[in-house]
Amino acid sequence: MSTLILTAHGSRDPRSAANAHAVAEQLRSLRPGLDVRLGFLELNAPHFADVLAGLPDGRDAVISPFLLASAYHARLDIPKQVAEAGALGVRQADVLGEDARLVSVVRERLAEVGVSPHDEELGVVVVAIGSSHAAVNARTAQVPAMLAAGTRWAGATIAFATRPDPSVPQAVHRLRRRGARRVLVAPWFLAPGLITDRVSTYARENGIPMAAPLGAHPLVAETLLDRYEQALAEETAA
């Protein structure tokens, strides 16, 4: 038997941990018999290092990062903790990334707040976490074009809730200059939390509707399983 270690960032906001637990349950439901274990890199229990330490001897395991971008935690933090734990037989799957299934979830979240793909006066700001690595931000910046494909919107653009520019206000201004008479915020976040609350406060104070994050959607779990299976296939091929 192989183990899937769903590895989440961790947050002081209990909604974030609850979302990760919900996704872990979806994984178990989608793949009965798969040993799914949830570990947090910080702030929540169980800690990722403790999950690694609790693996049965000789058990193959795949770390499935519950992360959208291949930034610090995926590239440095997880490998460092695996090395420190001396975990053998453990491989790391890719992050969720700019998967078309996740973009379709964002479309569902927009539909939930009444967005039409035919609204020619609408501008959509996709808000994400920024990274210190330009290549990571460039990949994330592909999401608005994927989201707007096939629509008649006035435009869609990226904004970063942390570093770098454009900020959410800058992105809103950019869309209005392009002719958008209405603007809406679409979070490129896996769960609600402290950062999305800050974005929500800005949106509310400026009369801008905001959709929900991706959340525990079945397509999120499906994408995680796909990353897990890709990691297993790569190991077999090697």
Side-chain angles (χ1 to χ4, degrees), residues 105-106 109 112 186-193 196 210-216:
V105 176
V106 179
R109 299 299 183 229
E112 290 168 358
W188 185 246
F189 282 75
L190 290 167
T196 57
M210 178 168 162
L214 296 168

Side-chain angles (χ1 to χ4, degrees), residues 123-238:
V124 175
V125 178
V126 177
V127 183
I129 288 284
S131 170
S132 58
H133 287 261
V136 173
N137 295 326
R139 288 191 60 178
T140 304
Q142 297 172 12
V143 173
M146 296 172 66
L147 183 65
T151 73
R152 299 174 65 182
W153 298 338
T157 192
I158 194 70
F160 295 107
T162 54
R163 58 188 175 191
D165 292 337
S167 65
V168 177
Q170 287 170 336
V172 169
H173 179 68
R174 178 182 298 175
L175 286 173
R176 286 176 171 156
R177 288 188 63 184
R178 291 182 189 173
R181 299 185 64 183
R182 291 182 300 280
V183 177
L184 184 139
V185 170
W188 185 246
F189 282 75
L190 290 167
L194 302 178
I195 296 177
T196 57
D197 282 352
R198 291 203 298 268
V199 176
S200 178
T201 297
Y202 164 81
R204 183 174 60 254
E205 291 176 349
N206 288 274
I208 299 172
M210 178 168 162
L214 296 168
H217 193 284
L219 287 177
V220 175
E222 181 182 303
T223 306
L224 282 163
L225 279 176
D226 187 51
R227 300 291 181 267
Y228 162 79
E229 290 169 351
Q230 287 173 358
L232 288 180
E234 289 169 3
E235 177 70 12
T236 301

